[in-house]
Amino acid sequence: VDSYLKKYMLKMQSLALKDSSILDKFDTFSFNMTDPVGILTDLKKRITDDFPEIPDVNYNIKYVSKALEDYTSPAMYFIPQLDNLDINSIYINSSGTSASELYPTLAHEGYPGHMYQTQYFASTSPSLIRNVIKPGGYIEGWASYVEVHSYEYAGDNTLLNSLVQCNYALILCLYAKGDIGVNYYGWTEAQLSSFLTDYGFSSAEAAHEMYTAFIANPANYCKYVLGFLGFEELKKQAQKDLGDNFSLKEFHRYILETGPVHIDILFDYLKNWENRLVVSSRAA
């Protein structure tokens, strides 16, 4: 986590040096799409270059009732019944998700996140037990990984997209480090606040909210963030091994067809996949 915090900070500095005007645009950044169905339709089209296609998926967009808004996540995907995969529901918490955040949120829950991953793996006709064994690091790590990826679809200013993307990934890492600090190292709220201040987040209210969240649900953020970083490390290894033979789309296919497993298993079988990819590319 520390190495990725440093990586994202350096990349943000590098992007700002390339074009300082993106700093002025950062505060007003927006995806310019607020309709949930329109967003999911747009995502389904945009991901085709980097992710394998799946058949059309039936889904419903619903909203969390006001009575539950203060207690639920910004959005949720409800996994369908094993014998009725056509019932897919995505719930949006209007109180917890602003219009400007809806695009990456639906990337996390819909395409190419939870709904897409669930439907893709189901299409491979896995053993029934595989529908029960679902490591959180894979499930939430994948959704966080593609959520970060979705910032590449924001607009024509690639430098600005990268800056906002790095900023979001940095915040994810801050949450993971804070979670580890509080629940493993025993940080006090003051120590957490001091850590956040080092990265420019000086709000005592924000530190308090994070601290209480970490105490209430220990290690929750780690499955999102360490899973996400696990996929980033896996991609880094595959790119190093394959060089010009690396294909992002085929890399994602490898993850999706392997299905929910602990991240170390994806590393264990990576060489086998790489060898098959090289052989098939030569045959082509």
Side-chain angles (χ1 to χ4, degrees):
V1 174
D2 285 339
S3 67
Y4 272 89
L5 281 169
K6 182 178 179 181
K7 169 188 171 181
Y8 291 128
M9 288 290 288
L10 290 173
K11 188 171 181 181
M12 289 174 71
Q13 292 170 7
S14 175
L15 290 166
L17 287 172
K18 287 181 181 179
D19 181 3
S20 60
S21 69
I22 62 174
L23 295 175
D24 296 326
K25 299 171 184 175
F26 179 82
D27 291 335
T28 57
F29 172 86
S30 173
F31 279 89
N32 296 319
M33 293 190 72
T34 57
D35 173 58
V37 174
I39 289 171
L40 287 168
T41 301
D42 188 67
L43 280 164
K44 185 181 178 183
K45 291 178 182 176
R46 288 180 177 270
I47 67 173
T48 53
D49 287 341
D50 298 330
F51 299 85
E53 292 186 22
I54 61 171
D56 288 339
V57 177
N58 292 320
Y59 62 86
N60 295 303
I61 300 292
K62 300 181 180 181
Y63 290 86
V64 174
S65 67
K66 287 209 171 286
L68 294 174
E69 285 182 350
D70 292 341
Y71 310 101
T72 55
S73 302
M76 296 167 286
Y77 166 66
F78 278 49
I79 297 173
Q81 301 159 336
L82 296 182
D83 56 353
N84 197 355
L85 292 170
D86 283 339
I87 299 179
N88 294 272
S89 298
I90 296 176
Y91 278 78
I92 297 171
N93 184 345
S94 298
S95 175
T97 307
S98 68
S100 62
E101 298 171 337
L102 198 53
Y103 195 100
T105 298
L106 289 175
H108 183 112
E109 305 296 343
Y111 291 102
H114 289 314
M115 182 172 72
Y116 168 89
Q117 182 271 318
T118 298
Q119 291 292 332
Y120 190 99
F121 188 57
S123 72
T124 67
S125 300
S127 169
L128 287 176
I129 193 65
R130 296 294 306 279
N131 294 285
V132 178
I133 302 173
K134 295 195 172 184
Y138 179 105
I139 299 296
E140 295 300 348
W142 170 263
S144 300
Y145 166 80
V146 299
E147 182 178 1
V148 172
H149 184 86
S150 73
Y151 282 87
E152 297 179 13
Y153 309 139
D156 297 329
N157 191 330
T158 55
L159 287 180
L160 179 60
N161 292 350
S162 294
L163 181 68
V164 180
Q165 181 185 54
C166 283
N167 182 71
Y168 180 67
L170 176 73
I171 291 172
L172 286 179
C173 291
L174 288 176
Y175 269 83
K177 183 63 183 288
D179 195 342
I180 294 168
V182 170
N183 291 301
Y184 183 78
Y185 291 110
W187 287 0
T188 63
E189 185 173 330
Q191 287 174 306
L192 174 65
S193 181
S194 176
F195 164 72
L196 294 172
T197 300
D198 290 341
Y199 288 89
F201 297 89
S202 57
S203 168
E205 181 181 355
H208 177 71
E209 288 181 2
M210 290 173 68
Y211 184 78
T212 54
F214 297 152
I215 292 294
N217 203 348
N220 179 56
Y221 288 98
C222 289
K223 64 184 177 183
Y224 290 82
V225 183
L226 297 180
F228 154 54
L229 298 184
F231 287 122
E232 287 292 329
E233 287 291 298
L234 187 71
K235 180 167 65 178
K236 188 192 303 182
Q237 185 63 53
Q239 289 171 326
K240 179 183 176 182
D241 294 342
L242 292 169
D244 293 339
N245 288 318
F246 177 81
S247 163
L248 185 59
K249 189 171 189 175
E250 293 307 313
F251 172 71
H252 290 153
R253 193 190 304 275
Y254 163 62
I255 294 171
L256 292 161
E257 291 189 353
T258 302
V261 292
H262 290 293
I263 303 296
D264 59 344
I265 294 177
L266 287 168
F267 277 93
D268 290 342
Y269 286 89
L270 184 63
K271 275 291 182 188
N272 291 340
W273 168 74
E274 290 172 348
N275 291 335
R276 292 197 305 271
L277 184 68
V278 171
V279 169
S280 63
S281 64
R282 286 174 178 170

